[in-house]
Amino acid sequence: MSDMALKQEDVRGEPPVNLWRDAWYRLKQNRMALTSLVIILALAFIAVFGPWLTPYDFLSQDLIARNQPPTWAHPFGTDELGRDVLSRVIYGTRTAFIVAISVTAVATLIGIVLGALAGYFGGLFDRFVMWFTDMTMSVPQLLLVVVINASLKPPLARWMEAQYLETLNPIYRNSIIIDFVLVFGSMALITWPPYARLVRAQVLSVRNRPYVTAARALGLSTPVIIARYIVPNALGPLIVAVSAGLGTAMVLESAFSFLGIGVNPPMPSWGNMIADGLRVWRNYPHLLLAPAMMLALATVAFSFLGDGLNDALNPKGQK
Amino acid sequence: MAGEKPQEPLLNVRDLSIEVATRNGPARIVDGISLTVDKGETLGVVGESGCGKSLTMLSLLGLLPNKISVIGGSAIFKGRDLLAMPHRELRKVRGGEIGFVFQDPMTSLNPVVRIGQQVMEPLLYHRNMSRAEARKRAGELLKLVGIPGAEERLDNYPHELSGGMRQRVMIAIGLACDPALLIADEPTTALDVTIQAQIVDIVKELRAKLGMSIVWITHDLALIAGLVDRVVVLYAGTVVEDAPVDVLYENPAHPYTRGLLASIPRLKDEGAEKLSSIGGTPPEPGRRPAGCAFAPRCPIARAECERAAPALEPLKGGGPHRVACFAAGEIAEAVA
């Protein structure tokens, strides 16, 4: 019994060490990941407090000062309508974050629910879900978004108009809402399959671990077992996927806005700003550079953070 | 220690058979096992790996893995058949009336949940306790199983505890709801020898305090000698011998049991160069011989052993000692 007393000594007094604390410790050692985290937090700050940070309104035009190169008054210059590019980039950050977070949240949620249920119950349900997953992944993303947009936009617009006529609430005349709902919706509907696959694979391996059998031997109900014993133990890799997925969602949003099927002007998005800038980049490169740099910065940061998290959460894979 | 004879046993398993679905059709893993556990009795279930000891116990609680299913028999526990019970009721028995302690404490605790919460889980579910009550009780339970600084340990994660401590936590979880029966599935196999003895001592203490019945599954006959009242020896999915522990050790009547006992190393055997073992391996499920399953490895097998399987019958002179061997009487005489 004396060795037990010893063990007790050296554990007591220390704060409980857990996976997240360990992971955070390892993440701190990774300079790239830490820098990325700082960049992401800075961008998030800009996104959240954008309206208070912008020097100008993102819509206000100054037709006398069009296409100006960067000056002290307009650090990123002005665009072809004389709008302040810095303000627009800041609002673009807002758009990018709103879209990325909502899309990833919805997609992850769909992925967790479908993946966990498919993995846990298996059988016909599993086959059906995986069949549906494969089918969704096999259709080109762009095509799917165009189809979803084209088929959902008219009925949604009609419904909004009907609501407006009924209630006269101006919120229903706001086309930005339609854009966002459609962009979120269609993007979430095409990005969930990888999450579902990942969660399913994890659940398949966790499902047969002894502590799950032990939980069943305690008489715990299936929902409790799935929610408390299986899903939390299956989420490690998902965190990495979500971090990378946020970056991907930003690129996707920009791509769609670039093509004109995402967020529509005058709402600024990095994608539609890049599209606008691309037409005149020989003469006014700053119009392309500003949003493109932001997009690149955000994407690279999320990607490196994802890598860092991967190493931090799976220390065995290192070196 | 043993319960009074005439009363109804706490658990009465009759002719339990379990099959696994394989590519070549169903293969029988457990073939008509019958055993009883009296109130307050500790039963040792002994046998080599793969003889069906764990599956027998898992099947009682409906915890068999996929593709393995019970195909016959009954298991009367407190007057109700566990094998025929609706799932909802069975869940109340699990953890509530029958506690289970698993083999490997390193993997049988949820790594992302604090141990306090894991001990509280059955209390919250089966006893409808408030969180505060359950937490208090969890602290008492950890103290009961001899964990130093029990209160503080409630907030530890499993990986902060040693294997022996974790197995104590598992026992605390198994006993949380004062079950009438504790099934321990090789609870010491994954532990150091010194810790094994500690766990056995703790279970003995708890049994004295709480008076529950215990089924202790193991392949280590030596370890449980001082713990159990009676031993059931399984071989290839059948019971080959069932006897009070002292009788079994002094007078093993089945050649397999004798082999098991002989294979326990002893310091006294100075002359012996090699450790004694039983030659061969148990037959695979689905490929069991027509006669006695042990015949191919049996040192005293004879012609009749290959034709028919011997039934489990009381040894000459009656009593609680039962053996499934044609030669049982002769062996018993020879030893005596």
Side-chain angles (χ1 to χ4, degrees), chain A residues 1 3-4 7-8 11-12 15-19 207 210-211 213-214 216-222 224 228-229 232-233, chain B residues 63 91 94-95 100 102 107-113 117 121-122 125-126 148-149 152-153 157 159-160 162 165 168 173 198:
Chain A
M1 286 295 221
D3 62 326
M4 243 165 276
K7 251 175 204 151
Q8 179 197 343
V11 172
R12 197 186 279 175
V17 181
N18 63 45
L19 176 72
R207 180 177 71 166
Y211 54 83
T213 309
R216 292 207 289 141
L218 280 181
L220 302 182
S221 65
T222 305
V224 169
R228 282 239 278 286
Y229 285 76
N233 283 299
Chain B
L63 295 172
R91 252 178 50 205
R94 295 177 185 169
F100 218 113
F102 286 90
T107 54
S108 297
L109 288 167
N110 186 347
V112 300
V113 175
Q117 174 67 33
E121 212 82 77
Y125 174 71
H126 292 291
E152 292 109 273
R153 292 313 175 105
Y157 285 90
H159 70 99
E160 298 172 69
S162 64
M165 285 298 148
R168 289 170 198 235
I173 294 173
Q198 285 176 10

Short mmCIF file of all heavy atoms in Angstrom, two decimals, chain A residues 1 3-4 7-8 11-12 15-19 207 210-211 213-214 216-222 224 228-229 232-233, chain B residues 63 91 94-95 100 102 107-113 117 121-122 125-126 148-149 152-153 157 159-160 162 165 168 173 198:
data_model
loop_
_atom_site.label_atom_id
_atom_site.label_comp_id
_atom_site.label_asym_id
_atom_site.label_seq_id
_atom_site.Cartn_x
_atom_site.Cartn_y
_atom_site.Cartn_z
N MET A 1 0.82 -1.21 0.00
CA MET A 1 0.00 0.00 0.00
C MET A 1 0.85 1.25 0.00
O MET A 1 0.39 2.33 -0.31
CB MET A 1 -0.90 0.03 1.24
CG MET A 1 -2.07 -0.95 1.18
SD MET A 1 -3.23 -0.53 -0.14
CE MET A 1 -4.78 -0.82 0.66
N ASP A 3 3.35 2.14 -1.88
CA ASP A 3 3.63 2.77 -3.18
C ASP A 3 2.45 3.59 -3.65
O ASP A 3 2.57 4.55 -4.38
CB ASP A 3 3.99 1.70 -4.22
CG ASP A 3 2.86 0.74 -4.45
OD1 ASP A 3 2.12 0.46 -3.48
OD2 ASP A 3 2.71 0.27 -5.58
N MET A 4 1.27 3.20 -3.17
CA MET A 4 0.08 3.97 -3.53
C MET A 4 0.11 5.36 -2.91
O MET A 4 -0.25 6.34 -3.53
CB MET A 4 -1.14 3.24 -3.03
CG MET A 4 -2.04 2.81 -4.13
SD MET A 4 -3.16 1.64 -3.47
CE MET A 4 -2.16 0.18 -3.60
N LYS A 7 2.28 7.50 -4.99
CA LYS A 7 1.65 7.94 -6.23
C LYS A 7 0.67 9.07 -5.96
O LYS A 7 0.57 10.03 -6.70
CB LYS A 7 0.91 6.79 -6.87
CG LYS A 7 1.61 6.33 -8.12
CD LYS A 7 0.95 5.11 -8.69
CE LYS A 7 1.92 4.35 -9.54
NZ LYS A 7 1.67 2.95 -9.57
N GLN A 8 -0.02 8.90 -4.87
CA GLN A 8 -1.02 9.90 -4.51
C GLN A 8 -0.35 11.25 -4.31
O GLN A 8 -0.85 12.28 -4.75
CB GLN A 8 -1.71 9.43 -3.24
CG GLN A 8 -2.76 10.36 -2.71
CD GLN A 8 -3.06 10.02 -1.27
OE1 GLN A 8 -2.73 8.94 -0.82
NE2 GLN A 8 -3.67 10.92 -0.56
N VAL A 11 0.58 13.10 -7.64
CA VAL A 11 -0.53 13.55 -8.48
C VAL A 11 -1.26 14.70 -7.83
O VAL A 11 -1.62 15.68 -8.46
CB VAL A 11 -1.52 12.40 -8.76
CG1 VAL A 11 -2.75 12.93 -9.46
CG2 VAL A 11 -0.83 11.35 -9.62
N ARG A 12 -1.41 14.60 -6.52
CA ARG A 12 -2.18 15.63 -5.84
C ARG A 12 -1.45 16.98 -5.90
O ARG A 12 -0.22 17.02 -5.92
CB ARG A 12 -2.37 15.24 -4.37
CG ARG A 12 -3.47 16.02 -3.71
CD ARG A 12 -3.51 15.69 -2.25
NE ARG A 12 -4.24 14.44 -2.04
CZ ARG A 12 -4.33 13.88 -0.82
NH1 ARG A 12 -3.75 14.41 0.21
NH2 ARG A 12 -5.02 12.78 -0.68
N PRO A 15 -2.81 20.45 -11.15
CA PRO A 15 -4.16 20.51 -11.72
C PRO A 15 -4.37 19.30 -12.61
O PRO A 15 -3.41 18.75 -13.13
CB PRO A 15 -4.12 21.79 -12.57
CG PRO A 15 -2.68 22.02 -12.86
CD PRO A 15 -1.92 21.44 -11.71
N PRO A 16 -5.63 18.88 -12.73
CA PRO A 16 -5.87 17.71 -13.56
C PRO A 16 -5.38 17.97 -15.00
O PRO A 16 -5.74 18.96 -15.60
CB PRO A 16 -7.38 17.54 -13.54
CG PRO A 16 -7.89 18.43 -12.48
CD PRO A 16 -6.84 19.44 -12.18
N VAL A 17 -4.54 17.10 -15.47
CA VAL A 17 -4.07 17.23 -16.84
C VAL A 17 -5.07 16.52 -17.72
O VAL A 17 -5.51 15.44 -17.40
CB VAL A 17 -2.70 16.57 -17.00
CG1 VAL A 17 -2.20 16.73 -18.42
CG2 VAL A 17 -1.72 17.16 -16.02
N ASN A 18 -5.45 17.13 -18.81
CA ASN A 18 -6.33 16.40 -19.71
C ASN A 18 -5.90 16.61 -21.14
O ASN A 18 -4.94 17.33 -21.42
CB ASN A 18 -7.80 16.80 -19.50
CG ASN A 18 -8.05 18.25 -19.81
OD1 ASN A 18 -7.57 18.75 -20.84
ND2 ASN A 18 -8.77 18.94 -18.96
N LEU A 19 -6.62 15.95 -22.01
CA LEU A 19 -6.28 15.95 -23.43
C LEU A 19 -6.11 17.36 -23.97
O LEU A 19 -5.17 17.67 -24.68
CB LEU A 19 -7.39 15.22 -24.20
CG LEU A 19 -7.24 15.21 -25.72
CD1 LEU A 19 -6.12 14.30 -26.13
CD2 LEU A 19 -8.53 14.80 -26.38
N ARG A 207 -17.12 2.36 -31.15
CA ARG A 207 -18.29 1.59 -30.76
C ARG A 207 -17.93 0.29 -30.04
O ARG A 207 -18.62 -0.15 -29.13
CB ARG A 207 -19.09 1.27 -32.02
CG ARG A 207 -20.32 0.47 -31.78
CD ARG A 207 -21.06 0.27 -33.07
NE ARG A 207 -20.36 -0.65 -33.95
CZ ARG A 207 -20.91 -1.20 -35.03
NH1 ARG A 207 -22.12 -0.88 -35.36
NH2 ARG A 207 -20.22 -2.03 -35.78
N PRO A 210 -14.02 -1.23 -25.05
CA PRO A 210 -14.58 -1.84 -23.83
C PRO A 210 -15.43 -0.87 -23.01
O PRO A 210 -16.42 -1.29 -22.42
CB PRO A 210 -13.33 -2.25 -23.06
CG PRO A 210 -12.28 -2.44 -24.09
CD PRO A 210 -12.57 -1.47 -25.18
N TYR A 211 -15.08 0.42 -23.01
CA TYR A 211 -15.89 1.29 -22.13
C TYR A 211 -17.30 1.48 -22.65
O TYR A 211 -18.19 1.84 -21.89
CB TYR A 211 -15.20 2.64 -21.87
CG TYR A 211 -14.78 3.43 -23.09
CD1 TYR A 211 -15.69 4.22 -23.76
CD2 TYR A 211 -13.47 3.40 -23.53
CE1 TYR A 211 -15.29 4.96 -24.86
CE2 TYR A 211 -13.06 4.13 -24.63
CZ TYR A 211 -13.97 4.91 -25.29
OH TYR A 211 -13.59 5.64 -26.37
N THR A 213 -19.04 -1.09 -24.05
CA THR A 213 -19.69 -2.29 -23.50
C THR A 213 -19.93 -2.09 -22.01
O THR A 213 -21.00 -2.43 -21.49
CB THR A 213 -18.78 -3.53 -23.69
OG1 THR A 213 -18.39 -3.58 -25.06
CG2 THR A 213 -19.53 -4.79 -23.34
N ALA A 214 -18.94 -1.49 -21.32
CA ALA A 214 -19.10 -1.25 -19.88
C ALA A 214 -20.29 -0.33 -19.63
O ALA A 214 -21.05 -0.53 -18.68
CB ALA A 214 -17.82 -0.65 -19.31
N ARG A 216 -22.89 -0.05 -21.50
CA ARG A 216 -24.13 -0.81 -21.72
C ARG A 216 -24.40 -1.72 -20.53
O ARG A 216 -25.54 -1.92 -20.13
CB ARG A 216 -24.04 -1.61 -23.01
CG ARG A 216 -24.01 -0.70 -24.23
CD ARG A 216 -24.57 -1.39 -25.45
NE ARG A 216 -23.68 -2.41 -25.94
CZ ARG A 216 -24.10 -3.59 -26.41
NH1 ARG A 216 -25.37 -3.86 -26.46
NH2 ARG A 216 -23.23 -4.46 -26.85
N ALA A 217 -23.33 -2.27 -19.96
CA ALA A 217 -23.48 -3.15 -18.80
C ALA A 217 -24.01 -2.38 -17.60
O ALA A 217 -24.49 -2.96 -16.64
CB ALA A 217 -22.17 -3.82 -18.45
N LEU A 218 -23.90 -1.05 -17.63
CA LEU A 218 -24.44 -0.23 -16.54
C LEU A 218 -25.91 0.08 -16.77
O LEU A 218 -26.54 0.73 -15.95
CB LEU A 218 -23.68 1.09 -16.46
CG LEU A 218 -22.34 1.06 -15.76
CD1 LEU A 218 -21.75 2.44 -15.74
CD2 LEU A 218 -22.53 0.55 -14.35
N GLY A 219 -26.43 -0.34 -17.92
CA GLY A 219 -27.83 -0.09 -18.18
C GLY A 219 -28.12 1.29 -18.72
O GLY A 219 -29.26 1.73 -18.74
N LEU A 220 -27.09 2.01 -19.16
CA LEU A 220 -27.33 3.34 -19.71
C LEU A 220 -28.07 3.21 -21.04
O LEU A 220 -27.91 2.24 -21.76
CB LEU A 220 -26.00 4.09 -19.91
CG LEU A 220 -25.17 4.25 -18.64
CD1 LEU A 220 -23.92 5.05 -18.93
CD2 LEU A 220 -25.97 4.93 -17.54
N SER A 221 -28.86 4.24 -21.35
CA SER A 221 -29.68 4.15 -22.56
C SER A 221 -28.83 4.47 -23.79
O SER A 221 -27.79 5.11 -23.69
CB SER A 221 -30.84 5.13 -22.47
OG SER A 221 -30.35 6.44 -22.44
N THR A 222 -29.31 4.03 -24.93
CA THR A 222 -28.57 4.22 -26.17
C THR A 222 -28.27 5.70 -26.46
O THR A 222 -27.14 6.03 -26.80
CB THR A 222 -29.33 3.58 -27.34
OG1 THR A 222 -29.56 2.21 -27.01
CG2 THR A 222 -28.54 3.66 -28.62
N VAL A 224 -27.84 8.13 -24.39
CA VAL A 224 -26.80 8.56 -23.45
C VAL A 224 -25.45 7.99 -23.88
O VAL A 224 -24.43 8.69 -23.88
CB VAL A 224 -27.13 8.12 -22.01
CG1 VAL A 224 -25.94 8.32 -21.09
CG2 VAL A 224 -28.34 8.87 -21.49
N ARG A 228 -22.59 10.54 -24.80
CA ARG A 228 -21.55 10.76 -23.80
C ARG A 228 -20.35 9.85 -23.94
O ARG A 228 -19.25 10.18 -23.51
CB ARG A 228 -22.15 10.59 -22.41
CG ARG A 228 -22.95 11.80 -22.01
CD ARG A 228 -22.40 12.41 -20.73
NE ARG A 228 -22.89 11.73 -19.57
CZ ARG A 228 -24.12 11.85 -19.10
NH1 ARG A 228 -24.97 12.63 -19.70
NH2 ARG A 228 -24.47 11.20 -18.03
N TYR A 229 -20.55 8.68 -24.52
CA TYR A 229 -19.44 7.73 -24.60
C TYR A 229 -18.86 7.64 -25.99
O TYR A 229 -17.66 7.43 -26.14
CB TYR A 229 -19.89 6.34 -24.12
CG TYR A 229 -20.04 6.27 -22.63
CD1 TYR A 229 -21.13 6.85 -22.01
CD2 TYR A 229 -19.07 5.67 -21.85
CE1 TYR A 229 -21.25 6.82 -20.64
CE2 TYR A 229 -19.19 5.64 -20.46
CZ TYR A 229 -20.29 6.21 -19.86
OH TYR A 229 -20.40 6.18 -18.51
N PRO A 232 -18.16 11.99 -27.99
CA PRO A 232 -16.99 12.75 -27.51
C PRO A 232 -15.67 12.07 -27.82
O PRO A 232 -14.67 12.74 -28.06
CB PRO A 232 -17.20 12.81 -25.99
CG PRO A 232 -18.64 12.56 -25.78
CD PRO A 232 -19.08 11.66 -26.89
N ASN A 233 -15.66 10.75 -27.83
CA ASN A 233 -14.42 10.04 -28.11
C ASN A 233 -14.13 9.95 -29.60
O ASN A 233 -13.06 9.52 -30.00
CB ASN A 233 -14.47 8.63 -27.51
CG ASN A 233 -14.24 8.66 -26.02
OD1 ASN A 233 -13.20 9.08 -25.56
ND2 ASN A 233 -15.25 8.25 -25.26
N LEU B 63 -25.36 -8.61 -23.68
CA LEU B 63 -24.26 -7.79 -24.16
C LEU B 63 -23.40 -8.52 -25.19
O LEU B 63 -22.26 -8.13 -25.43
CB LEU B 63 -23.37 -7.38 -22.97
CG LEU B 63 -24.00 -6.46 -21.94
CD1 LEU B 63 -23.09 -6.29 -20.75
CD2 LEU B 63 -24.33 -5.12 -22.54
N ARG B 91 -32.35 -3.52 -19.09
CA ARG B 91 -31.48 -2.37 -18.83
C ARG B 91 -31.50 -1.98 -17.36
O ARG B 91 -30.54 -1.46 -16.82
CB ARG B 91 -31.91 -1.19 -19.69
CG ARG B 91 -30.93 -0.93 -20.81
CD ARG B 91 -31.38 0.19 -21.67
NE ARG B 91 -31.74 1.36 -20.91
CZ ARG B 91 -32.58 2.28 -21.33
NH1 ARG B 91 -33.15 2.17 -22.49
NH2 ARG B 91 -32.84 3.34 -20.59
N ARG B 94 -29.19 -4.44 -15.61
CA ARG B 94 -27.78 -4.09 -15.84
C ARG B 94 -27.39 -2.93 -14.94
O ARG B 94 -28.01 -1.87 -14.98
CB ARG B 94 -27.58 -3.60 -17.26
CG ARG B 94 -27.80 -4.60 -18.34
CD ARG B 94 -27.60 -3.86 -19.65
NE ARG B 94 -27.91 -4.70 -20.80
CZ ARG B 94 -28.01 -4.22 -22.04
NH1 ARG B 94 -27.84 -2.93 -22.25
NH2 ARG B 94 -28.28 -5.02 -23.04
N GLY B 95 -26.35 -3.12 -14.19
CA GLY B 95 -25.87 -2.01 -13.36
C GLY B 95 -26.73 -1.80 -12.13
O GLY B 95 -26.23 -1.39 -11.09
N PHE B 100 -21.13 -5.29 -13.20
CA PHE B 100 -20.18 -5.98 -14.06
C PHE B 100 -18.83 -5.28 -13.94
O PHE B 100 -18.76 -4.06 -14.01
CB PHE B 100 -20.68 -5.90 -15.51
CG PHE B 100 -20.43 -7.16 -16.30
CD1 PHE B 100 -21.50 -7.94 -16.72
CD2 PHE B 100 -19.15 -7.55 -16.62
CE1 PHE B 100 -21.28 -9.10 -17.45
CE2 PHE B 100 -18.94 -8.71 -17.35
CZ PHE B 100 -20.00 -9.49 -17.76
N PHE B 102 -15.11 -5.29 -15.74
CA PHE B 102 -14.49 -5.85 -16.94
C PHE B 102 -13.00 -6.12 -16.75
O PHE B 102 -12.38 -5.66 -15.79
CB PHE B 102 -14.73 -4.93 -18.13
CG PHE B 102 -16.13 -5.02 -18.62
CD1 PHE B 102 -17.10 -4.18 -18.11
CD2 PHE B 102 -16.49 -5.95 -19.56
CE1 PHE B 102 -18.41 -4.26 -18.54
CE2 PHE B 102 -17.79 -6.06 -20.00
CZ PHE B 102 -18.75 -5.20 -19.49
N THR B 107 -8.95 0.27 -20.48
CA THR B 107 -9.82 0.67 -21.60
C THR B 107 -11.31 0.60 -21.25
O THR B 107 -12.14 0.90 -22.09
CB THR B 107 -9.59 -0.26 -22.81
OG1 THR B 107 -9.76 -1.60 -22.38
CG2 THR B 107 -8.20 -0.08 -23.37
N SER B 108 -11.63 0.23 -20.02
CA SER B 108 -13.04 0.07 -19.70
C SER B 108 -13.66 1.30 -19.06
O SER B 108 -14.82 1.31 -18.72
CB SER B 108 -13.24 -1.14 -18.78
OG SER B 108 -12.85 -2.30 -19.44
N LEU B 109 -12.84 2.35 -18.90
CA LEU B 109 -13.39 3.61 -18.41
C LEU B 109 -13.37 4.61 -19.56
O LEU B 109 -12.44 4.62 -20.36
CB LEU B 109 -12.54 4.15 -17.25
CG LEU B 109 -12.66 3.40 -15.93
CD1 LEU B 109 -11.56 3.81 -14.98
CD2 LEU B 109 -14.02 3.64 -15.29
N ASN B 110 -14.41 5.43 -19.62
CA ASN B 110 -14.50 6.43 -20.69
C ASN B 110 -13.40 7.47 -20.48
O ASN B 110 -13.40 8.17 -19.47
CB ASN B 110 -15.88 7.08 -20.63
CG ASN B 110 -16.12 8.03 -21.78
OD1 ASN B 110 -15.19 8.40 -22.50
ND2 ASN B 110 -17.37 8.43 -21.95
N PRO B 111 -12.46 7.59 -21.43
CA PRO B 111 -11.30 8.45 -21.21
C PRO B 111 -11.62 9.95 -21.13
O PRO B 111 -10.81 10.70 -20.60
CB PRO B 111 -10.40 8.16 -22.41
CG PRO B 111 -11.29 7.58 -23.44
CD PRO B 111 -12.37 6.87 -22.71
N VAL B 112 -12.76 10.37 -21.63
CA VAL B 112 -13.03 11.82 -21.65
C VAL B 112 -13.98 12.27 -20.54
O VAL B 112 -14.39 13.41 -20.51
CB VAL B 112 -13.58 12.28 -23.01
CG1 VAL B 112 -12.59 11.97 -24.11
CG2 VAL B 112 -14.93 11.67 -23.30
N VAL B 113 -14.34 11.35 -19.66
CA VAL B 113 -15.27 11.72 -18.59
C VAL B 113 -14.57 11.52 -17.24
O VAL B 113 -13.87 10.54 -17.04
CB VAL B 113 -16.55 10.86 -18.67
CG1 VAL B 113 -17.46 11.15 -17.49
CG2 VAL B 113 -17.28 11.11 -19.98
N GLN B 117 -18.02 11.35 -12.36
CA GLN B 117 -19.20 11.29 -13.20
C GLN B 117 -19.50 9.84 -13.60
O GLN B 117 -20.65 9.42 -13.62
CB GLN B 117 -18.98 12.15 -14.45
CG GLN B 117 -20.08 12.06 -15.49
CD GLN B 117 -21.39 12.65 -15.01
OE1 GLN B 117 -21.39 13.62 -14.24
NE2 GLN B 117 -22.50 12.06 -15.43
N GLU B 121 -22.92 7.84 -12.79
CA GLU B 121 -23.82 7.49 -13.90
C GLU B 121 -24.91 6.47 -13.51
O GLU B 121 -26.09 6.75 -13.69
CB GLU B 121 -22.98 6.97 -15.06
CG GLU B 121 -23.52 7.26 -16.43
CD GLU B 121 -23.20 8.66 -16.93
OE1 GLU B 121 -22.07 8.92 -17.37
OE2 GLU B 121 -24.12 9.50 -16.89
N PRO B 122 -24.54 5.30 -12.97
CA PRO B 122 -25.60 4.34 -12.63
C PRO B 122 -26.51 4.85 -11.51
O PRO B 122 -27.69 4.52 -11.49
CB PRO B 122 -24.83 3.09 -12.18
CG PRO B 122 -23.46 3.54 -11.87
CD PRO B 122 -23.20 4.72 -12.74
N TYR B 125 -28.99 7.13 -13.09
CA TYR B 125 -29.94 6.45 -13.96
C TYR B 125 -30.85 5.48 -13.19
O TYR B 125 -32.06 5.49 -13.35
CB TYR B 125 -29.20 5.69 -15.06
CG TYR B 125 -30.14 4.86 -15.89
CD1 TYR B 125 -31.04 5.49 -16.75
CD2 TYR B 125 -30.18 3.48 -15.77
CE1 TYR B 125 -31.93 4.75 -17.48
CE2 TYR B 125 -31.08 2.74 -16.50
CZ TYR B 125 -31.96 3.37 -17.35
OH TYR B 125 -32.85 2.64 -18.07
N HIS B 126 -30.25 4.64 -12.33
CA HIS B 126 -31.05 3.61 -11.68
C HIS B 126 -31.70 4.09 -10.40
O HIS B 126 -32.74 3.59 -10.01
CB HIS B 126 -30.18 2.39 -11.35
CG HIS B 126 -29.70 1.65 -12.55
ND1 HIS B 126 -30.54 0.94 -13.36
CD2 HIS B 126 -28.48 1.53 -13.11
CE1 HIS B 126 -29.86 0.40 -14.35
NE2 HIS B 126 -28.60 0.75 -14.22
N PRO B 148 -7.22 6.14 -2.01
CA PRO B 148 -6.83 7.22 -1.10
C PRO B 148 -7.24 8.58 -1.66
O PRO B 148 -7.18 8.80 -2.87
CB PRO B 148 -5.30 7.09 -1.03
CG PRO B 148 -4.92 6.26 -2.20
CD PRO B 148 -6.08 5.46 -2.62
N GLY B 149 -7.66 9.47 -0.77
CA GLY B 149 -8.08 10.80 -1.21
C GLY B 149 -9.28 10.73 -2.13
O GLY B 149 -9.34 11.42 -3.13
N GLU B 152 -11.11 13.85 -3.68
CA GLU B 152 -10.41 14.63 -4.72
C GLU B 152 -10.34 13.87 -6.03
O GLU B 152 -10.30 14.45 -7.09
CB GLU B 152 -8.98 14.96 -4.28
CG GLU B 152 -8.90 15.94 -3.14
CD GLU B 152 -8.45 15.28 -1.86
OE1 GLU B 152 -9.30 14.75 -1.12
OE2 GLU B 152 -7.24 15.28 -1.61
N ARG B 153 -10.32 12.54 -5.92
CA ARG B 153 -10.20 11.72 -7.13
C ARG B 153 -11.41 11.80 -8.03
O ARG B 153 -11.36 11.43 -9.20
CB ARG B 153 -9.94 10.26 -6.77
CG ARG B 153 -8.60 10.02 -6.14
CD ARG B 153 -7.54 10.72 -6.95
NE ARG B 153 -6.25 10.63 -6.32
CZ ARG B 153 -5.29 9.83 -6.75
NH1 ARG B 153 -5.50 9.07 -7.79
NH2 ARG B 153 -4.14 9.81 -6.15
N TYR B 157 -9.33 12.40 -14.29
CA TYR B 157 -9.67 11.63 -15.48
C TYR B 157 -9.03 10.24 -15.34
O TYR B 157 -8.02 10.10 -14.64
CB TYR B 157 -9.16 12.33 -16.74
CG TYR B 157 -10.00 13.52 -17.10
CD1 TYR B 157 -9.71 14.79 -16.61
CD2 TYR B 157 -11.12 13.36 -17.92
CE1 TYR B 157 -10.50 15.87 -16.92
CE2 TYR B 157 -11.92 14.44 -18.23
CZ TYR B 157 -11.60 15.69 -17.73
OH TYR B 157 -12.39 16.75 -18.04
N HIS B 159 -7.01 8.53 -17.03
CA HIS B 159 -5.59 8.33 -17.33
C HIS B 159 -4.67 8.85 -16.22
O HIS B 159 -3.47 8.63 -16.25
CB HIS B 159 -5.23 9.00 -18.65
CG HIS B 159 -5.24 10.49 -18.60
ND1 HIS B 159 -4.10 11.23 -18.44
CD2 HIS B 159 -6.25 11.37 -18.64
CE1 HIS B 159 -4.42 12.51 -18.41
NE2 HIS B 159 -5.72 12.62 -18.53
N GLU B 160 -5.24 9.53 -15.24
CA GLU B 160 -4.43 10.01 -14.14
C GLU B 160 -4.28 8.96 -13.04
O GLU B 160 -3.60 9.19 -12.05
CB GLU B 160 -5.04 11.28 -13.55
CG GLU B 160 -5.09 12.42 -14.55
CD GLU B 160 -5.89 13.60 -14.01
OE1 GLU B 160 -5.39 14.23 -13.08
OE2 GLU B 160 -6.99 13.86 -14.51
N SER B 162 -3.55 4.84 -11.79
CA SER B 162 -2.84 3.61 -12.17
C SER B 162 -3.86 2.51 -12.46
O SER B 162 -5.04 2.65 -12.15
CB SER B 162 -1.93 3.18 -11.04
OG SER B 162 -2.71 2.85 -9.91
N MET B 165 -5.77 1.29 -9.45
CA MET B 165 -6.75 2.29 -9.00
C MET B 165 -7.96 2.30 -9.93
O MET B 165 -9.10 2.41 -9.49
CB MET B 165 -6.11 3.68 -8.99
CG MET B 165 -5.16 3.89 -7.83
SD MET B 165 -6.04 3.76 -6.25
CE MET B 165 -4.75 3.07 -5.25
N ARG B 168 -10.19 -0.47 -9.23
CA ARG B 168 -11.00 -0.16 -8.05
C ARG B 168 -12.18 0.72 -8.42
O ARG B 168 -13.29 0.55 -7.92
CB ARG B 168 -10.15 0.55 -6.99
CG ARG B 168 -9.15 -0.37 -6.34
CD ARG B 168 -8.18 0.44 -5.49
NE ARG B 168 -7.00 -0.35 -5.22
CZ ARG B 168 -6.54 -0.58 -3.99
NH1 ARG B 168 -7.14 -0.05 -2.95
NH2 ARG B 168 -5.48 -1.31 -3.81
N ILE B 173 -17.94 1.31 -9.56
CA ILE B 173 -19.06 1.52 -10.49
C ILE B 173 -19.97 0.29 -10.47
O ILE B 173 -21.19 0.40 -10.41
CB ILE B 173 -18.54 1.79 -11.92
CG1 ILE B 173 -17.78 3.11 -11.96
CG2 ILE B 173 -19.69 1.82 -12.92
CD1 ILE B 173 -17.09 3.39 -13.27
N GLN B 198 -4.22 -7.38 -4.14
CA GLN B 198 -4.96 -6.28 -3.49
C GLN B 198 -6.42 -6.27 -3.92
O GLN B 198 -7.32 -6.09 -3.11
CB GLN B 198 -4.33 -4.94 -3.85
CG GLN B 198 -3.03 -4.67 -3.14
CD GLN B 198 -2.42 -3.38 -3.63
OE1 GLN B 198 -3.04 -2.61 -4.35
NE2 GLN B 198 -1.18 -3.14 -3.24
#
